[in-house]
Amino acid sequence: MGKIDLLIVVTVISLFISLFLVFFLLTVKTKYKISNVLFAAFLLITAIDSCEPLFNLTVDGPSNLGMLRNTFAFLQIPVFYLYVLSVCYSDFKLTFKYILHVLPYLIVNLVLLPRFYAVDSASKIDFLVNRQHMIELQFTHILFHLQIVVYLIAVFRILRKTKKLYLENYAGAGINSYNWLFQFTSVLTFLYLIVFLKNIFKFSDYPYISEWIKIGIMVLVLFIVCWYLFKALNNPGLFRNVDSKLKLVSDIISEEKKNESPTENEETLSSEIIKLKKYMIEEKPFLNPSLTIQDISKDIEIPTRELSVLINHQLGQHFYDFVNTYRIENAMDILKDTTKTKVTILEILYEVGFNSKSSFNTAFKKHTGTTPTYYRKNLQVSIL
């Protein structure tokens, strides 16, 4: 099989899976419709960008349509950025201000207008043959890579802040979703690094190396799309969002210091801590797998802002870890109960408020230094 045949086969498979996933995202029932639409748009733009081998079979020589297809890459990372925003924040809405993200795409096409779009086929061919010396193409490549760097930095900052907000205010399984989104962004970053390397060779004296790297990118894109499909089919309601109006505890404390707000005395703090711990032991709110700090705030009548500072700052624990501590203690009590030896680990994790085996195992090991299965075996050995 030749290089061209391999590219066509890989492109067809990747395109089919991408379109299937786009169809799935647009038809699956979910309350996070905007996120699904944006992810579908991202996949569709990626498919258009990677379908060059098929496009070249239908178009003879360089064309305006072909260049427009190439410049679609400038829409890819902005759409991904908006997708991350929509996943992370439950109150995200598409507003007119986001039209600004289209500017790089428009600028690039305006730059290419005089010496590519507005000329005949022969001039287009000459333009591409001498691409190493064309200032327009050099400009578009520099802008493309600059755009990628800026957007990826912004995405990683959003993920970092959102994960902290989640840990400080929620205690469900949504943290696994943010971990996956971080992995997703990391894989995308790795892919863009390879694209950057390809483009370096494209403008060097070794353009054939760029072509071979392009084949590797096409194969890698196929595997990444398959990974997307696997995740989407296994987790149709993958994400649980946070409110963008929530503030990090560190920001709250900084505001209080800046405004010289009076801090609570030790006696008040002590009484609130006792009240909180008593409520956790007696009412067992941690059994609710979707527990939030707002739920507890409402029940014990301590403002959410104060309760957040109390747990995340005064007690030195994220709300997520604070709640999981009670869940793990409850799980340990069940494991110690000799009348419940036939209850499975999976049944126990659901009973104490977890809805994810991975998060339960991680929390259990963090709290006890061992896995639930090994902990149970040690108990049985000690009884014998």
Side-chain angles (χ1 to χ4, degrees), residues 115-170:
R115 291 211 292 173
F116 188 87
Y117 289 121
V119 298
D120 57 23
S121 296
S123 299
K124 284 181 172 64
I125 293 172
D126 182 67
F127 183 85
L128 294 178
V129 168
N130 297 291
R131 62 177 177 269
Q132 293 180 343
H133 308 292
M134 293 297 172
I135 189 67
E136 293 94 337
L137 290 180
Q138 292 174 7
F139 168 76
T140 58
H141 278 77
I142 291 172
L143 181 61
F144 177 68
H145 295 114
L146 182 63
Q147 181 195 45
I148 288 171
V149 170
V150 170
Y151 273 97
L152 285 177
I153 290 173
V155 167
F156 278 115
R157 286 172 64 89
I158 290 169
L159 292 177
R160 183 184 177 191
K161 179 182 178 181
T162 309
K163 187 172 182 179
K164 284 184 177 180
L165 284 171
Y166 190 92
L167 290 172
E168 290 180 359
N169 297 277
Y170 299 89

Side-chain angles (χ1 to χ4, degrees), residues 228-255:
Y228 295 162
L229 180 63
F230 174 78
K231 281 291 183 180
L233 293 177
N234 283 279
N235 303 277
L238 192 60
F239 300 104
R240 169 178 178 171
N241 307 9
V242 302
D243 191 334
S244 64
K245 294 185 285 294
L246 288 173
K247 291 185 178 181
L248 293 170
V249 169
S250 57
D251 293 335
I252 295 174
I253 294 171
S254 296
E255 286 179 6

Side-chain angles (χ1 to χ4, degrees), residues 264-281:
E264 293 179 308
N265 56 48
E266 290 186 11
E267 186 177 340
T268 303
L269 287 173
S270 180
S271 64
E272 287 182 344
I273 290 172
I274 292 171
K275 183 179 182 181
L276 172 63
K277 291 184 175 180
K278 182 181 179 182
Y279 167 76
M280 295 297 291
I281 294 170

Side-chain angles (χ1 to χ4, degrees), residues 292-341:
T292 69
I293 199 167
Q294 290 87 350
D295 296 331
I296 296 180
S297 170
K298 183 179 178 181
D299 288 344
I300 64 176
E301 298 180 342
I302 296 178
T304 303
R305 183 185 174 105
E306 292 179 17
L307 184 60
S308 181
V309 173
L310 181 69
I311 297 172
N312 293 287
H313 181 65
Q314 299 295 340
L315 294 180
Q317 279 185 299
H318 287 310
F319 176 74
Y320 181 82
D321 293 328
F322 173 76
V323 172
N324 281 346
T325 298
Y326 286 92
R327 289 172 174 167
I328 297 303
E329 290 288 344
N330 194 11
M332 290 168 65
D333 289 338
I334 296 173
L335 290 169
K336 292 174 185 176
D337 192 341
T338 55
T339 63
K340 296 183 178 182
T341 54

